[in-house]
Amino acid sequence: MSQTDRKEICGATFFYQRILSLHLLLCTIHIATLLSTTPAFAHGAERGLVMLLPTNYYLIGGGLAVFLSFMMLAVVPNRLFSEITHKTVAIAPSLGIPKAPVSFLAFLLLAICVLAGFFSVHDPLSNPLPLVIWTAWWVGLTLAHAIFGNLWPWLNPWTGVLSALRKVTGSELGRKPIFNLPKRIGYIPSILQFSFFTWFELVSIAPEDPPRLASAVLCYWLFNFIAIVLFGQSDWMKRGEPFSVFFRMIGMFSPLRLIETETGRKIALSWPGARCLTAEPLPLSGTIFILLTLGTASFDGFAETFTWLGFIDVNPWNFRAVAVLCCPIRWGFLLLPLSWRFCFTPASRQGFCWRVEPSGKTCNSSPDG
C-alpha cells in the first residue's frame, strides 16, 4: 500500500470518527433536552390553522434542508460515503425485552381507550381515545420509530394476545398458517388497509368522534387478528398489516440498530438511513405502498395550507360545513398519490440510466429490465 493510500485512509477514518462523535453528541444533547423539558399548554387533538411563524421561514428552512442534503451527496466522495454508511459503533448491550408482555400491555391500553371511546364523554378534547390514536400513536410513535428504530414488534396489539391464547389453548395459533398468503398479491392488503385508514383520517367528516373512531379501531384490530390466525403472524405482519410495513420502513432511518457481536447483541449507532442501502428490493406493490404513504402524508399537510383552501375556493376564516369540503378532499386524496407515482417512474428510470451509462448517452432500458 502506497503512502498516498495510507494518507487517504487515515484522513477518511479521522473524518468519519469526527462525524460519528458529532452525531453521538447531538443525540446526547437531544435526549438531555427531552429530559429537562417542563410542561406546556398545547392542543392535542385539534390543530391550529395558521402557522405561528411567517411562511417564509418554513419555506427557506425546508429549501435549505433539501439543498444541503443534495450538496452533501455531491461533495462527499463516494468511497468515504460508502465507508460511513456501513460503519456501526456499539454503544450499549441489548436490553433483551420480551415482545409478548409489552404487546399485551399495549393491547390492554388500546382496549381501555376503545371502551372509553364507546362509553365515556363524546367530546374529542376530553375523551382519551382521539388523543391516543391521532397524537400519541400516529404522530408520536412515528417519530419514536425514526429515532429508536422499529418498535412495532413490541407495541403492536396482537403479539401478546396470540401468545396468551397459545399458552391457554396449547395450540400454535398464529404461528402455523391455515392458508398460505399468495406471494403474487405482494403488499396489496397493506395498500388497501392503509388507503382506508387515510381515507378515514382525511376524508371522513368526523375522524375524531370517539364512538366512530372506537368502531374503526375495533374493526381494524379484529380484521387483522383474523388475518393473522388464517395466514400466520410472520407473513401477514410482513406484507398484510400496513403499520408493520410502515413502521418498519420508518425504523430503517433510525441511527440506532441491533447488531450481533462476539459478546452478544448490542445496541449500535450507525448512519441514519444506512439500512436502506442493504435492504432487499421491494416488489412493485411494495413501491406503490411507499408512494401511497408519501402522497397521503404530503396531502395531509398540503390540505392545511392557504394554497389548497384558495384552490377549492374556501375562506379559511369562514368555514362552510365540513361535508362541503369532502368532495375536493376526496379528489386531492386520490390525485396526489398518483402524482407521486408519475414522478417516481421517470425519476427512477433516469437514475437507472445514469447509473448504467454515466457518459450521458440515451438509455432505452428500464429498471425492471
Side-chain angles (χ1 to χ4, degrees):
M1 182 181 296
S2 65
Q3 186 175 1
T4 304
D5 292 337
R6 290 194 186 95
K7 289 182 178 180
E8 289 182 358
I9 294 175
C10 291
T13 305
F14 176 74
F15 175 76
Y16 156 59
Q17 290 175 345
R18 292 290 298 275
I19 290 291
L20 285 180
S21 300
L22 179 61
H23 192 189
L24 182 60
L25 176 62
L26 292 176
C27 290
T28 304
I29 293 174
H30 181 69
I31 294 173
T33 304
L34 291 177
L35 294 177
S36 62
T37 53
T38 56
F41 294 104
H43 42 77
E46 297 292 339
R47 293 169 290 180
L49 175 66
V50 182
M51 292 186 289
L52 302 181
L53 291 176
T55 308
N56 290 337
Y57 291 176
Y58 292 90
L59 297 178
I60 294 174
L64 286 176
V66 175
F67 174 75
L68 292 176
S69 299
F70 279 99
M71 287 298 297
M72 183 176 179
L73 292 175
V75 173
V76 176
N78 291 335
R79 179 180 175 183
L80 180 60
F81 185 75
S82 177
E83 292 179 357
I84 291 176
T85 54
H86 287 85
K87 183 67 175 178
T88 57
V89 177
I91 58 175
S94 174
L95 300 179
I97 300 175
K99 297 176 182 178
V102 180
S103 174
F104 193 79
L105 290 176
F107 166 75
L108 291 179
L109 175 62
L110 180 65
I112 293 172
C113 290
V114 169
L115 290 175
F118 281 122
F119 302 109
S120 185
V121 293
H122 289 184
D123 181 8
L125 297 179
S126 302
N127 195 292
L129 181 63
L131 179 65
V132 169
I133 296 297
W134 298 123
T135 304
W137 176 74
W138 183 225
V139 178
L141 194 58
T142 301
L143 295 176
H145 277 76
I147 298 173
F148 301 107
N150 188 12
L151 305 174
W152 194 237
W154 286 267
L155 298 179
N156 76 79
W158 297 284
T159 299
V161 176
L162 290 168
S163 178
L165 290 176
R166 283 194 291 264
K167 291 181 179 179
V168 171
T169 61
S171 64
E172 294 294 317
L173 187 69
R175 284 180 178 168
K176 294 183 178 180
I178 300 174
F179 304 101
N180 291 324
L181 186 65
K183 291 185 177 180
R184 62 178 178 271
I185 71 172
Y187 290 79
I188 291 178
S190 291
I191 293 173
L192 295 177
Q193 288 194 82
F194 194 83
S195 298
F196 286 131
F197 166 76
T198 50
W199 186 278
F200 178 79
E201 178 195 11
L202 301 177
V203 182
S204 175
I205 295 178
E208 292 156 354
D209 177 61
R212 184 191 297 260
L213 181 57
S215 300
V217 171
L218 181 60
C219 291
Y220 181 83
W221 187 90
L222 287 173
F223 176 81
N224 282 280
F225 180 80
I226 295 172
I228 289 173
V229 172
L230 293 177
F231 301 110
Q233 184 174 4
S234 177
D235 207 9
W236 184 256
M237 298 293 273
K238 182 179 179 181
R239 296 187 288 141
E241 203 276 307
F243 295 103
S244 296
V245 182
F246 176 75
F247 287 135
R248 185 168 65 246
M249 176 187 71
I250 297 297
M252 293 174 68
F253 294 93
S254 167
L256 300 176
R257 63 190 302 182
L258 291 177
I259 61 173
E260 295 289 344
T261 64
E262 296 179 355
T263 57
R265 303 189 80 182
K266 300 284 187 180
I267 300 175
L269 189 66
S270 63
W271 194 262
R275 277 172 289 180
C276 297
L277 302 176
T278 57
E280 296 181 1
L282 289 173
L284 177 61
S285 58
T287 305
I288 292 175
F289 177 82
I290 292 178
L291 294 176
L292 176 66
T293 60
L294 292 173
T296 52
S298 299
F299 180 72
D300 189 12
F302 181 66
E304 301 292 329
T305 63
F306 288 107
T307 303
W308 169 254
L309 295 176
F311 178 76
I312 62 177
D313 193 24
V314 171
N315 182 358
W317 308 113
N318 185 24
F319 263 99
R320 295 173 283 181
V322 178
V324 179
L325 301 176
C326 287
C327 182
I329 290 178
R330 289 192 192 105
W331 284 107
F333 169 79
L334 294 173
L335 293 178
L336 196 56
L338 289 177
S339 67
W340 273 93
R341 176 73 176 92
F342 289 123
C343 292
F344 173 80
T345 301
S348 59
R349 184 177 184 276
Q350 188 61 46
F352 176 79
C353 293
W354 285 346
R355 182 178 179 181
V356 174
E357 299 190 24
S359 60
K361 297 179 181 179
T362 304
C363 176
N364 295 321
S365 60
S366 65
D368 299 330

mmCIF file of all heavy atoms in Angstrom, residues 69-101:
data_model
loop_
_atom_site.group_PDB
_atom_site.id
_atom_site.type_symbol
_atom_site.label_atom_id
_atom_site.label_comp_id
_atom_site.label_asym_id
_atom_site.label_seq_id
_atom_site.Cartn_x
_atom_site.Cartn_y
_atom_site.Cartn_z
ATOM 1 N N SER A 69 -28.766 18.744 1.706
ATOM 2 C CA SER A 69 -28.708 17.290 1.554
ATOM 3 C C SER A 69 -28.116 16.914 0.204
ATOM 4 O O SER A 69 -27.248 16.031 0.104
ATOM 5 C CB SER A 69 -30.115 16.694 1.695
ATOM 6 O OG SER A 69 -30.652 16.968 2.972
ATOM 7 N N PHE A 70 -28.576 17.590 -0.866
ATOM 8 C CA PHE A 70 -28.033 17.294 -2.191
ATOM 9 C C PHE A 70 -26.572 17.736 -2.305
ATOM 10 O O PHE A 70 -25.766 17.077 -2.964
ATOM 11 C CB PHE A 70 -28.883 17.972 -3.266
ATOM 12 C CG PHE A 70 -30.121 17.209 -3.617
ATOM 13 C CD1 PHE A 70 -31.352 17.553 -3.077
ATOM 14 C CD2 PHE A 70 -30.069 16.122 -4.471
ATOM 15 C CE1 PHE A 70 -32.498 16.846 -3.390
ATOM 16 C CE2 PHE A 70 -31.206 15.405 -4.788
ATOM 17 C CZ PHE A 70 -32.431 15.769 -4.252
ATOM 18 N N MET A 71 -26.215 18.855 -1.665
ATOM 19 C CA MET A 71 -24.835 19.301 -1.700
ATOM 20 C C MET A 71 -23.916 18.297 -1.008
ATOM 21 O O MET A 71 -22.798 18.032 -1.460
ATOM 22 C CB MET A 71 -24.711 20.670 -1.036
ATOM 23 C CG MET A 71 -25.270 21.816 -1.861
ATOM 24 S SD MET A 71 -24.381 22.006 -3.424
ATOM 25 C CE MET A 71 -22.745 22.421 -2.821
ATOM 26 N N MET A 72 -24.397 17.718 0.078
ATOM 27 C CA MET A 72 -23.596 16.723 0.782
ATOM 28 C C MET A 72 -23.370 15.502 -0.095
ATOM 29 O O MET A 72 -22.262 14.951 -0.153
ATOM 30 C CB MET A 72 -24.293 16.320 2.079
ATOM 31 C CG MET A 72 -23.514 15.341 2.920
ATOM 32 S SD MET A 72 -24.337 14.982 4.478
ATOM 33 C CE MET A 72 -23.182 13.787 5.174
ATOM 34 N N LEU A 73 -24.413 15.072 -0.796
ATOM 35 C CA LEU A 73 -24.258 13.930 -1.700
ATOM 36 C C LEU A 73 -23.303 14.243 -2.842
ATOM 37 O O LEU A 73 -22.584 13.368 -3.336
ATOM 38 C CB LEU A 73 -25.624 13.522 -2.264
ATOM 39 C CG LEU A 73 -26.615 12.923 -1.268
ATOM 40 C CD1 LEU A 73 -27.955 12.675 -1.940
ATOM 41 C CD2 LEU A 73 -26.079 11.622 -0.687
ATOM 42 N N ALA A 74 -23.280 15.506 -3.286
ATOM 43 C CA ALA A 74 -22.433 15.876 -4.410
ATOM 44 C C ALA A 74 -20.983 16.075 -3.990
ATOM 45 O O ALA A 74 -20.064 15.811 -4.772
ATOM 46 C CB ALA A 74 -22.968 17.151 -5.060
ATOM 47 N N VAL A 75 -20.744 16.538 -2.760
ATOM 48 C CA VAL A 75 -19.396 16.900 -2.327
ATOM 49 C C VAL A 75 -18.656 15.727 -1.705
ATOM 50 O O VAL A 75 -17.472 15.510 -1.966
ATOM 51 C CB VAL A 75 -19.458 18.086 -1.332
ATOM 52 C CG1 VAL A 75 -18.095 18.363 -0.735
ATOM 53 C CG2 VAL A 75 -19.984 19.329 -2.045
ATOM 54 N N VAL A 76 -19.350 14.949 -0.872
ATOM 55 C CA VAL A 76 -18.676 13.852 -0.160
ATOM 56 C C VAL A 76 -18.273 12.769 -1.162
ATOM 57 O O VAL A 76 -19.097 12.333 -1.974
ATOM 58 C CB VAL A 76 -19.611 13.260 0.911
ATOM 59 C CG1 VAL A 76 -18.968 12.061 1.579
ATOM 60 C CG2 VAL A 76 -19.954 14.318 1.948
ATOM 61 N N PRO A 77 -17.027 12.314 -1.157
ATOM 62 C CA PRO A 77 -16.591 11.253 -2.086
ATOM 63 C C PRO A 77 -17.384 9.968 -1.865
ATOM 64 O O PRO A 77 -17.772 9.641 -0.741
ATOM 65 C CB PRO A 77 -15.112 11.062 -1.731
ATOM 66 C CG PRO A 77 -14.712 12.319 -1.039
ATOM 67 C CD PRO A 77 -15.923 12.818 -0.325
ATOM 68 N N ASN A 78 -17.619 9.255 -2.966
ATOM 69 C CA ASN A 78 -18.394 8.018 -2.877
ATOM 70 C C ASN A 78 -17.752 7.009 -1.940
ATOM 71 O O ASN A 78 -18.437 6.306 -1.193
ATOM 72 C CB ASN A 78 -18.557 7.410 -4.270
ATOM 73 C CG ASN A 78 -19.455 8.248 -5.156
ATOM 74 O OD1 ASN A 78 -20.296 8.991 -4.655
ATOM 75 N ND2 ASN A 78 -19.290 8.132 -6.455
ATOM 76 N N ARG A 79 -16.424 6.930 -1.982
ATOM 77 C CA ARG A 79 -15.721 5.964 -1.146
ATOM 78 C C ARG A 79 -15.918 6.274 0.335
ATOM 79 O O ARG A 79 -16.199 5.383 1.138
ATOM 80 C CB ARG A 79 -14.232 5.988 -1.502
ATOM 81 C CG ARG A 79 -13.383 5.047 -0.678
ATOM 82 C CD ARG A 79 -11.933 5.147 -1.105
ATOM 83 N NE ARG A 79 -11.064 4.341 -0.273
ATOM 84 C CZ ARG A 79 -9.744 4.302 -0.405
ATOM 85 N NH1 ARG A 79 -9.152 5.029 -1.343
ATOM 86 N NH2 ARG A 79 -9.025 3.549 0.394
ATOM 87 N N LEU A 80 -15.802 7.549 0.678
ATOM 88 C CA LEU A 80 -15.972 7.947 2.074
ATOM 89 C C LEU A 80 -17.420 7.761 2.507
ATOM 90 O O LEU A 80 -17.700 7.291 3.615
ATOM 91 C CB LEU A 80 -15.545 9.407 2.250
ATOM 92 C CG LEU A 80 -15.675 9.982 3.666
ATOM 93 C CD1 LEU A 80 -14.831 9.189 4.638
ATOM 94 C CD2 LEU A 80 -15.264 11.450 3.670
ATOM 95 N N PHE A 81 -18.337 8.115 1.635
ATOM 96 C CA PHE A 81 -19.755 7.963 1.959
ATOM 97 C C PHE A 81 -20.098 6.489 2.165
ATOM 98 O O PHE A 81 -20.851 6.132 3.066
ATOM 99 C CB PHE A 81 -20.601 8.540 0.827
ATOM 100 C CG PHE A 81 -22.075 8.541 1.109
ATOM 101 C CD1 PHE A 81 -22.635 9.456 1.982
ATOM 102 C CD2 PHE A 81 -22.904 7.602 0.512
ATOM 103 C CE1 PHE A 81 -23.986 9.448 2.246
ATOM 104 C CE2 PHE A 81 -24.262 7.582 0.770
ATOM 105 C CZ PHE A 81 -24.802 8.514 1.639
ATOM 106 N N SER A 82 -19.509 5.606 1.350
ATOM 107 C CA SER A 82 -19.753 4.176 1.492
ATOM 108 C C SER A 82 -19.206 3.670 2.819
ATOM 109 O O SER A 82 -19.849 2.861 3.502
ATOM 110 C CB SER A 82 -19.112 3.419 0.329
ATOM 111 O OG SER A 82 -19.289 2.024 0.486
ATOM 112 N N GLU A 83 -18.020 4.137 3.225
ATOM 113 C CA GLU A 83 -17.447 3.705 4.494
ATOM 114 C C GLU A 83 -18.279 4.185 5.681
ATOM 115 O O GLU A 83 -18.496 3.455 6.644
ATOM 116 C CB GLU A 83 -16.012 4.216 4.612
ATOM 117 C CG GLU A 83 -15.037 3.568 3.637
ATOM 118 C CD GLU A 83 -13.640 4.137 3.774
ATOM 119 O OE1 GLU A 83 -13.468 5.067 4.585
ATOM 120 O OE2 GLU A 83 -12.734 3.652 3.081
ATOM 121 N N ILE A 84 -18.737 5.426 5.612
ATOM 122 C CA ILE A 84 -19.518 5.980 6.711
ATOM 123 C C ILE A 84 -20.829 5.225 6.888
ATOM 124 O O ILE A 84 -21.232 4.881 8.001
ATOM 125 C CB ILE A 84 -19.787 7.477 6.476
ATOM 126 C CG1 ILE A 84 -18.487 8.269 6.592
ATOM 127 C CG2 ILE A 84 -20.817 8.004 7.462
ATOM 128 C CD1 ILE A 84 -18.642 9.734 6.269
ATOM 129 N N THR A 85 -21.515 4.961 5.787
ATOM 130 C CA THR A 85 -22.837 4.347 5.870
ATOM 131 C C THR A 85 -22.787 2.887 6.293
ATOM 132 O O THR A 85 -23.798 2.339 6.740
ATOM 133 C CB THR A 85 -23.554 4.452 4.515
ATOM 134 O OG1 THR A 85 -22.709 3.908 3.485
ATOM 135 C CG2 THR A 85 -23.879 5.902 4.191
ATOM 136 N N HIS A 86 -21.630 2.232 6.169
ATOM 137 C CA HIS A 86 -21.528 0.832 6.553
ATOM 138 C C HIS A 86 -20.872 0.640 7.917
ATOM 139 O O HIS A 86 -20.724 -0.498 8.363
ATOM 140 C CB HIS A 86 -20.739 0.045 5.498
ATOM 141 C CG HIS A 86 -21.498 -0.173 4.227
ATOM 142 N ND1 HIS A 86 -21.530 0.766 3.200
ATOM 143 C CD2 HIS A 86 -22.282 -1.199 3.814
ATOM 144 C CE1 HIS A 86 -22.277 0.310 2.219
ATOM 145 N NE2 HIS A 86 -22.743 -0.873 2.555
ATOM 146 N N LYS A 87 -20.501 1.711 8.579
ATOM 147 C CA LYS A 87 -19.850 1.621 9.874
ATOM 148 C C LYS A 87 -20.873 1.676 11.003
ATOM 149 O O LYS A 87 -21.823 2.458 10.962
ATOM 150 C CB LYS A 87 -18.851 2.772 10.039
ATOM 151 C CG LYS A 87 -18.061 2.738 11.334
ATOM 152 C CD LYS A 87 -17.118 1.561 11.385
ATOM 153 C CE LYS A 87 -16.246 1.608 12.634
ATOM 154 N NZ LYS A 87 -15.353 0.451 12.728
ATOM 155 N N THR A 88 -20.681 0.810 12.009
ATOM 156 C CA THR A 88 -21.515 0.830 13.198
ATOM 157 C C THR A 88 -20.628 0.857 14.437
ATOM 158 O O THR A 88 -19.523 0.305 14.433
ATOM 159 C CB THR A 88 -22.430 -0.412 13.261
ATOM 160 O OG1 THR A 88 -21.626 -1.589 13.225
ATOM 161 C CG2 THR A 88 -23.415 -0.430 12.102
ATOM 162 N N VAL A 89 -21.116 1.508 15.486
ATOM 163 C CA VAL A 89 -20.382 1.616 16.745
ATOM 164 C C VAL A 89 -21.298 1.144 17.864
ATOM 165 O O VAL A 89 -22.353 1.754 18.107
ATOM 166 C CB VAL A 89 -19.918 3.061 17.000
ATOM 167 C CG1 VAL A 89 -19.224 3.158 18.348
ATOM 168 C CG2 VAL A 89 -19.010 3.538 15.886
ATOM 169 N N ALA A 90 -20.928 0.045 18.527
ATOM 170 C CA ALA A 90 -21.718 -0.471 19.641
ATOM 171 C C ALA A 90 -21.632 0.497 20.813
ATOM 172 O O ALA A 90 -20.550 0.928 21.207
ATOM 173 C CB ALA A 90 -21.221 -1.856 20.040
ATOM 174 N N ILE A 91 -22.793 0.843 21.373
ATOM 175 C CA ILE A 91 -22.817 1.823 22.457
ATOM 176 C C ILE A 91 -23.404 1.263 23.747
ATOM 177 O O ILE A 91 -23.207 1.836 24.823
ATOM 178 C CB ILE A 91 -23.611 3.081 22.048
ATOM 179 C CG1 ILE A 91 -25.045 2.710 21.645
ATOM 180 C CG2 ILE A 91 -22.909 3.819 20.926
ATOM 181 C CD1 ILE A 91 -25.912 3.908 21.338
ATOM 182 N N ALA A 92 -24.143 0.137 23.666
ATOM 183 C CA ALA A 92 -24.760 -0.416 24.874
ATOM 184 C C ALA A 92 -25.203 -1.841 24.593
ATOM 185 O O ALA A 92 -25.470 -2.202 23.441
ATOM 186 C CB ALA A 92 -25.956 0.426 25.317
ATOM 187 N N PRO A 93 -25.290 -2.663 25.638
ATOM 188 C CA PRO A 93 -25.815 -4.021 25.438
ATOM 189 C C PRO A 93 -27.317 -3.979 25.153
ATOM 190 O O PRO A 93 -28.029 -3.069 25.587
ATOM 191 C CB PRO A 93 -25.510 -4.715 26.764
ATOM 192 C CG PRO A 93 -25.420 -3.605 27.763
ATOM 193 C CD PRO A 93 -24.855 -2.431 27.026
ATOM 194 N N SER A 94 -27.778 -4.970 24.425
ATOM 195 C CA SER A 94 -29.203 -5.062 24.130
ATOM 196 C C SER A 94 -29.994 -5.300 25.412
ATOM 197 O O SER A 94 -29.565 -6.049 26.296
ATOM 198 C CB SER A 94 -29.461 -6.188 23.128
ATOM 199 O OG SER A 94 -30.845 -6.379 22.933
ATOM 200 N N LEU A 95 -31.155 -4.652 25.515
ATOM 201 C CA LEU A 95 -31.965 -4.785 26.720
ATOM 202 C C LEU A 95 -32.653 -6.143 26.807
ATOM 203 O O LEU A 95 -32.994 -6.599 27.898
ATOM 204 C CB LEU A 95 -33.013 -3.670 26.752
ATOM 205 C CG LEU A 95 -32.464 -2.237 26.770
ATOM 206 C CD1 LEU A 95 -33.606 -1.238 26.767
ATOM 207 C CD2 LEU A 95 -31.568 -2.017 27.978
ATOM 208 N N GLY A 96 -32.875 -6.765 25.665
ATOM 209 C CA GLY A 96 -33.489 -8.090 25.671
ATOM 210 C C GLY A 96 -34.901 -8.115 26.215
ATOM 211 O O GLY A 96 -35.298 -9.048 26.916
ATOM 212 N N ILE A 97 -35.700 -7.089 25.928
ATOM 213 C CA ILE A 97 -37.073 -7.012 26.426
ATOM 214 C C ILE A 97 -37.950 -7.974 25.622
ATOM 215 O O ILE A 97 -37.976 -7.907 24.397
ATOM 216 C CB ILE A 97 -37.606 -5.575 26.310
ATOM 217 C CG1 ILE A 97 -36.734 -4.625 27.114
ATOM 218 C CG2 ILE A 97 -39.058 -5.502 26.763
ATOM 219 C CD1 ILE A 97 -37.129 -3.168 26.962
ATOM 220 N N PRO A 98 -38.670 -8.883 26.279
ATOM 221 C CA PRO A 98 -39.547 -9.809 25.544
ATOM 222 C C PRO A 98 -40.699 -9.063 24.879
ATOM 223 O O PRO A 98 -41.223 -8.078 25.427
ATOM 224 C CB PRO A 98 -40.033 -10.777 26.619
ATOM 225 C CG PRO A 98 -39.878 -10.032 27.913
ATOM 226 C CD PRO A 98 -38.690 -9.130 27.727
ATOM 227 N N LYS A 99 -41.118 -9.550 23.734
ATOM 228 C CA LYS A 99 -42.145 -8.851 22.963
ATOM 229 C C LYS A 99 -43.553 -9.094 23.486
ATOM 230 O O LYS A 99 -44.380 -8.169 23.525
ATOM 231 C CB LYS A 99 -42.061 -9.269 21.491
ATOM 232 C CG LYS A 99 -40.750 -8.905 20.819
ATOM 233 C CD LYS A 99 -40.697 -9.419 19.400
ATOM 234 C CE LYS A 99 -39.346 -9.090 18.754
ATOM 235 N NZ LYS A 99 -39.234 -9.629 17.383
ATOM 236 N N ALA A 100 -43.845 -10.329 23.878
ATOM 237 C CA ALA A 100 -45.222 -10.679 24.224
ATOM 238 C C ALA A 100 -45.779 -9.871 25.406
ATOM 239 O O ALA A 100 -46.901 -9.343 25.316
ATOM 240 C CB ALA A 100 -45.322 -12.177 24.497
ATOM 241 N N PRO A 101 -45.073 -9.731 26.545
ATOM 242 C CA PRO A 101 -45.654 -8.953 27.650
ATOM 243 C C PRO A 101 -45.903 -7.485 27.300
ATOM 244 O O PRO A 101 -46.939 -6.926 27.666
ATOM 245 C CB PRO A 101 -44.606 -9.086 28.760
ATOM 246 C CG PRO A 101 -43.827 -10.309 28.421
ATOM 247 C CD PRO A 101 -43.792 -10.361 26.930
#
